[in-house]
Every structure is written in C-alpha cells, then in structure tokens.
Amino acid sequence: MSVGGIEISEDDYPEMEAVAAIQRGLHAFNQEMGGPYDREPVTVLARDANETVRGGLLGLTYWNWLFIDWLWLARDARGQGLGSELLRRAEDIARRRGCTDAYTDTFSFQAPGFWERNGYQEFGRLDHMPRGHARIWFRKTL
C-alpha cells in the first residue's frame, strides 16, 4: 500500500537500521519539543555471596524524572527488604542527578502494595490487562 508516494509495509523482523531510524526520529522530535533528554541508565543489582544476580532494578533518568522500567527479585529473596533497598538506592541516584519525581508501571499480580508502601501513588490503571488483572501506573515526588 502506498500513501502520498510512501510505501507502507508490515515487517515481523525489521532490520536494526529501520528500528534505529524510528527511535532516532522520535528522540529528536521529543528533544525538540521537551528539551534535551540527558538520558542516563540506572542499574542497581542484588548479588549473593557467589556474585549471582538475585535481583535488581533497571531504569532511566531523563527530564528530571526517574523511570523504573524493571524491578525483580528471585522468589527466595523477597520479603527481606531488598526491593525497598534497591528502590531507595535508585531514588538516591535520581536525586543526585536532579530528578524531582519518579514513575513506574506494574501489574496487579506484581505486588502493587510494594509501591504504595514505598510512597508511590497510583495515577492510572488499565483493567483487564491481562484478563482478570490490571496494569497500574505509580508516581512519587522525590
């Protein structure tokens, strides 16, 4: 199909250059509209005595916000305060970088109470994602 002389196609396995072109284009537009990202990764790891990763937090700081993308602990490492410590350290990194707020999203089966206990407030929800559950967005002022 062609629209305005531009061919539109579907691609289940796009070339990396095609993906990169989309990412570059959107990043450039976002920075044009919102200012420089100053995107920096945030990584906080929990390792056992054998240096095996038992959990961690992956996120980004940009536009004075901390985005928490992933927070995971091995099942046997949960309930010991490790998650809160990972989160506290990520928030400390974000504050040092000038961040004033943080946000994340999770599912109703992924312990939303954890976020509430750590000072996060729900600000959005999609029910039935997946069926019988919800996707929930949380934020916190740092």
Side-chain angles (χ1 to χ4, degrees), residues 115-116 118-124 136-141:
W115 297 100
E116 293 165 344
N118 283 280
Y120 285 72
Q121 296 179 325
E122 181 178 328
F123 73 89
I136 308 166
W137 282 263
F138 287 96
R139 69 170 291 168
K140 178 180 179 178
T141 301

Side-chain angles (χ1 to χ4, degrees), residues 106-109 125-136:
T106 189
F107 294 97
S108 56
F109 55 82
R125 174 183 290 255
L126 284 176
D127 290 325
H128 309 296
M129 184 181 185
R131 288 272 172 238
H133 301 283
R135 188 167 191 171
I136 308 166

Side-chain angles (χ1 to χ4, degrees), residues 8-86:
I8 297 176
S9 64
E10 298 173 10
D11 192 337
D12 290 339
Y13 303 99
E15 298 171 1
M16 291 302 293
E17 183 52 37
V19 172
I22 294 166
Q23 293 172 330
R24 282 191 309 270
L26 185 57
H27 286 308
F29 176 77
N30 288 348
Q31 291 185 73
E32 177 184 327
M33 300 306 293
Y37 274 141
D38 297 326
R39 292 168 55 110
E40 292 186 65
V42 175
T43 304
V44 185
L45 300 173
R47 296 178 191 262
D48 65 17
N50 296 320
E51 293 294 311
T52 302
V53 174
R54 307 296 294 142
L57 181 150
L58 302 174
L60 290 170
T61 56
Y62 62 99
W63 285 334
N64 298 322
W65 282 77
L66 166 64
F67 168 55
I68 301 153
D69 197 12
W70 300 78
L71 175 58
W72 169 81
L73 286 169
R75 197 175 294 271
D76 64 346
R78 298 175 190 164
Q80 302 173 41
L82 290 169
S84 292
E85 180 62 15
L86 291 169

